């Protein structure tokens, strides 16, 4: 059947309406229009200043990097550099001393948080090694951190393994601060069942002057 | 007075100019906004890194790579060494990772294309927001669902102030995937739930306490007594500041 003028007219009205709705949806931000091009800027003003911002390129320097290389032998301030190598096991037993972290829920929570961020990709949240990466990559070599052999290691030795790495595991000394690594050791002892979980029922405001507000609730 | 032909032509011209002016107004008024121009910016990166695979499927926390966000204003793009923690073993020969291996050998950084950027006269501090347990998703959208990352929020000043004025309406509380430290031990059963929030912002603020703006200069908060040196402690929830110098200094 040949389309009549009336149906063509109806279709064109519908098409115009559809385009109109689409345009309105894009303009109102309800439909995201993806683009690989940098956004248009009609009034850049002082949006892009000629200054060094972190991790940016900078045409002032020859290698186009804002970040300057430190001079050879520079020592960072307020950063604990872990100097022991993977093999210095005996030195690690002596030199790695817990800085006196209290065994509180707060410290355990920090250990749990850092363990879940940095350790769990391989060791899994429970430390047994059946992690997402292990399953997907079909890795069999990730040890169970809760087995008796690992339980028998000293705190200083576990701290050493986290800091210097072992076998395929790289050093995490540059990613996790010293205090956080000790908190991880404390939390790992909980996963192993060596340390008991601190009571979570106690109020975090207990034992200090009440300021009327708690940041943890 | 005028001929019929001129009359019709005049009407058509007025209608045409009106239509063009209407379209220009529509695009000019609604189109020249970050919601339209900036949102959806999805540049091609030198290495086809998938956040959907790493953060979504493998549940690698945001802070594994962007860990500096907890302690510094700038949320750093990870060093190549961070990639090589795993990729010396996983997919070690993949052609997609050729640039990563080259960068690791030469020491020259990979030139990732920056997506989220506030103007240079705005100072956004990541650590302050993360320690207030505001989830990454609040400003960056559901990154763990994005194969290629695009800008999800307009990052305009009005959009910032929406949250500073009514945080409970806009902010996503800390989720397990983000690796935000809440100061509490959590049950592990929620770890794989990307919608679970450790600290739903309403609970974090607490229902009975009405948020009031402190007097100017009183934005400091008391340190919790259980603070431990070296652990970035979570901050007291509250309204974000509204004075200009909070962000423009």
């Amino acid at each position: 059947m040949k389309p009549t003028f009336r149906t063509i007219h109806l279709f064109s009205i519908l098409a115009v309406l559809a385009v109109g709705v689409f345009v309105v949806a894009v303009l109102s931000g309800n439909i995201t229009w993806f683009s690989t091009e940098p956004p248009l800027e009609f009034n850049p003003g002082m949006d892009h200043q000629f200054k060094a911002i972190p991790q940016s390129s900078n045409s002032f320097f020859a290698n186009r990097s804002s970040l300057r290389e430190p001079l050879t032998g520079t020592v960072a301030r307020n950063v604990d550099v872990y100097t022991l190598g993977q093999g210095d096991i005996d030195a690690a037993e002596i030199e790695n001393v817990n800085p006196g972290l209290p065994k509180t829920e707060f410290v355990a929570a920090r250990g749990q948080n850092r363990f879940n961020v940095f350790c769990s990709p391989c060791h899994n949240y429970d430390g047994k090694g059946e992690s997402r990466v292990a399953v997907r990559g079909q890795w069999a070599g990730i040890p169970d951190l809760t087995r008796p052999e690992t339980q028998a290691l000293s705190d200083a030795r576990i701290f050493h393994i986290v800091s210097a790495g072992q076998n395929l595991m790289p050093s995490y000394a540059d990613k996790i601060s010293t205090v956080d690594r000790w908190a991880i050791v404390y939390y790992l002892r909980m996963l192993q069942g060596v340390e008991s979980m601190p009571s979570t029922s106690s109020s975090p405001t207990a034992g200090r002057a009440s300021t009327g507000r708690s940041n943890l609730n | 007075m005028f001929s019929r032909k001129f009359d019709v032509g005049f009407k058509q011209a007025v209608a045409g100019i009106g239509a063009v002016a209407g379209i220009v107004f529509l695009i000019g008024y609604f189109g020249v906004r970050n919601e339209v121009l900036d949102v959806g910016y999805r540049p091609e990166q030198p290495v086809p890194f998938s956040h959907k695979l790493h953060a979504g499927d493998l549940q690698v926390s945001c802070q594994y790579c962007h860990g500096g966000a907890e302690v510094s204003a700038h949320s750093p793009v990870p060093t190549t060494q961070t990639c090589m923690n795993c990729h010396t073993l996983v997919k070690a020969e993949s052609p997609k990772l050729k640039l990563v291996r080259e960068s690791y050998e030469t020491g020259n950084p990979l030139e990732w294309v920056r997506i989220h950027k506030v103007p240079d006269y705005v100072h956004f501090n990541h650590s302050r927001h993360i320690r207030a347990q505001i989830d990454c998703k609040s400003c960056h959208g559901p990154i763990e669902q994005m194969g290629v990352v695009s800008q999800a929020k307009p990052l305009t000043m009005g959009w910032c102030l929406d949250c500073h004025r009514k945080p409970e309406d806009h902010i996503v509380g800390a989720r397990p995937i983000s690796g935000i430290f809440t100061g509490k031990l959590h049950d592990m059963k929620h770890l794989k739930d990307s919608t679970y929030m450790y600290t739903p912002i309403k609970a974090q603020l607490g229902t009975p306490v009405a948020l009031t703006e402190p007097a100017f200069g009183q934005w400091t908060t008391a340190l919790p007594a259980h603070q431990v040196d070296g652990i970035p402690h979570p901050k007291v929830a509250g309204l974000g500041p509204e004075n200009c110098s909070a962000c423009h200094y």
Side-chain angles (χ1 to χ4, degrees), chain A residues 27 35 49 55 114 172, chain B residues 33 42 63-64 77 120 186:
Chain A
L27 290 186
S35 165
Q49 298 165 15
Q55 296 195 317
R114 295 292 99 178
Y172 276 84
Chain B
R33 299 179 307 150
R42 190 168 60 180
Q63 288 200 17
Y64 186 93
V77 174
D120 280 350
H186 292 288

Side-chain angles (χ1 to χ4, degrees), chain B residues 131-153:
Chain B
R131 285 158 76 169
Q133 300 165 58
I134 296 167
D135 195 86
C136 316
K137 189 182 177 183
S138 309
C139 305
H140 295 286
I143 293 281
E144 77 279 3
Q145 296 166 15
M146 298 182 191
V148 185
V149 171
S150 59
Q151 184 170 332
K153 305 280 180 179

Side-chain angles (χ1 to χ4, degrees), chain A residues 101-102 104 106-111 113-114 177-183, chain B residues 70-71 131 181 183 226-234:
Chain A
L101 277 186
T104 58
F106 185 75
V107 175
R110 182 64 179 173
N113 173 267
R114 295 292 99 178
S177 74
T178 309
V179 170
D180 287 347
R181 270 176 271 149
W182 281 111
Chain B
E70 191 183 46
V71 287
R131 285 158 76 169
F181 179 47
H226 56 268
Q227 186 201 356
V228 177
D229 274 350
I231 295 181
H233 59 90

Side-chain angles (χ1 to χ4, degrees), chain A residues 26-28 32-40 42 46-49 51 53-55 64 101-102 105-110 112-114 116-118 125 132 136 139 168 170 172 174-175 179-180 187 197-198 200 204 208 213 215-217, chain B residues 26 30-33 36-42 53 58-59 61 63-64 70 74 76-77 81-82 85 89-90 111 114 117 119-121 133 150 179-186 188 191 203-204 224-226 228-229 231-232 234-236:
Chain A
V26 168
L27 290 186
S28 66
T32 304
W33 188 274
F34 291 104
S35 165
T36 54
E37 297 302 313
L40 286 173
F42 289 94
M46 290 161 69
D47 285 11
H48 307 283
Q49 298 165 15
K51 64 179 182 183
I53 54 175
Q55 296 195 317
R64 302 198 302 108
L101 277 186
E105 188 204 340
F106 185 75
V107 175
R110 182 64 179 173
Q112 183 190 45
N113 173 267
R114 295 292 99 178
N116 288 346
V117 170
F118 290 105
Y125 299 116
R132 296 84 70 198
R136 189 185 169 94
W139 280 9
L168 297 177
Y172 276 84
D174 60 330
K175 292 200 175 301
V179 170
D180 287 347
Y187 179 66
M197 294 268 179
T200 54
R208 69 177 165 113
R213 53 187 170 179
N215 66 321
L216 295 176
N217 288 321
Chain B
L26 204 66
F30 295 107
V32 187
R33 299 179 307 150
V36 178
L37 293 177
D38 289 29
V39 171
Y41 176 38
R42 190 168 60 180
L53 170 65
L58 295 177
Q59 297 270 312
S61 169
Q63 288 200 17
Y64 186 93
E70 191 183 46
H74 178 74
V77 174
Q81 194 210 329
T82 308
N85 275 354
L89 301 158
V90 184
E111 297 198 18
R114 184 168 188 174
K117 188 177 184 302
D120 280 350
Y121 47 81
Q133 300 165 58
S150 59
I180 291 172
F181 179 47
T182 59
K184 272 189 168 177
L185 269 173
H186 292 288
M188 288 194 287
L191 287 171
Q204 188 185 350
H226 56 268
V228 177
D229 274 350
I231 295 181
K235 300 249 183 189
V236 178

Side-chain angles (χ1 to χ4, degrees), chain B:
Chain B
M1 190 173 171
F2 299 110
S3 69
R4 185 171 185 80
K5 194 179 168 190
F6 180 86
D7 201 38
V8 170
F10 182 74
K11 279 177 183 166
Q12 282 178 346
V14 166
I17 290 169
V20 169
I23 291 168
V24 167
F25 172 77
L26 204 66
I27 293 175
Y29 194 78
F30 295 107
V32 187
R33 299 179 307 150
N34 284 20
E35 284 85 342
V36 178
L37 293 177
D38 289 29
V39 171
Y41 176 38
R42 190 168 60 180
E44 214 172 303
Q45 301 288 354
V47 178
F49 178 85
S50 169
H51 280 84
K52 187 173 189 296
L53 170 65
H54 290 81
D57 298 347
L58 295 177
Q59 297 270 312
V60 178
S61 169
C62 307
Q63 288 200 17
Y64 186 93
C65 303
H66 307 286
E70 191 183 46
V71 287
S72 72
H74 178 74
S75 170
V77 174
T79 57
T80 309
Q81 194 210 329
T82 308
C83 310
M84 296 307 272
N85 275 354
C86 297
H87 285 292
T88 45
L89 301 158
V90 184
K91 302 269 180 195
E93 303 299 320
S94 170
K96 287 180 182 171
L97 292 168
K98 184 167 168 286
L99 286 176
V100 178
R101 289 192 298 272
E102 279 178 16
S103 162
Y104 191 56
E105 281 155 22
T106 60
N108 296 325
L110 281 164
E111 297 198 18
W112 301 99
V113 183
R114 184 168 188 174
I115 300 170
H116 300 87
K117 188 177 184 302
V118 287
D120 280 350
Y121 47 81
V122 184
H123 297 269
F124 178 83
N125 192 325
H126 274 89
S127 72
R128 183 64 185 87
H129 291 82
I130 284 184
R131 285 158 76 169
Q133 300 165 58
I134 296 167
D135 195 86
C136 316
K137 189 182 177 183
S138 309
C139 305
H140 295 286
I143 293 281
E144 77 279 3
Q145 296 166 15
M146 298 182 191
V148 185
V149 171
S150 59
Q151 184 170 332
K153 305 280 180 179
L155 308 189
T156 56
M157 184 168 132
W159 171 84
C160 289
L161 285 173
D162 281 348
C163 282
H164 276 225
R165 286 171 179 154
K166 279 188 88 66
E168 64 272 28
D169 285 0
H170 301 280
I171 283 172
V172 180
R175 299 177 302 155
I177 183 68
S178 304
I180 291 172
F181 179 47
T182 59
K184 272 189 168 177
L185 269 173
H186 292 288
D187 198 327
M188 288 194 287
K189 71 184 175 197
H190 300 299
L191 287 171
K192 289 179 180 174
D193 182 358
S194 67
T195 57
Y196 179 77
M197 280 185 264
Y198 283 148
T199 50
I201 195 73
K202 294 220 175 184
Q204 188 185 350
L205 297 174
T207 35
V209 185
L211 285 173
T212 48
E213 191 172 346
F216 184 79
Q218 297 297 310
W219 287 103
T220 52
T221 49
L223 294 181
H226 56 268
Q227 186 201 356
V228 177
D229 274 350
I231 295 181
H233 59 90
K235 300 249 183 189
V236 178
L239 280 179
E242 269 186 82
N243 58 56
C244 312
S245 62
C247 310
H248 305 285
Y249 56 85

Side-chain angles (χ1 to χ4, degrees), chain A residues 9 32 56 131 143 145 153 156 158 183:
Chain A
H9 198 64
T32 304
S56 63
S131 67
L145 299 181
L153 295 177
I158 294 176

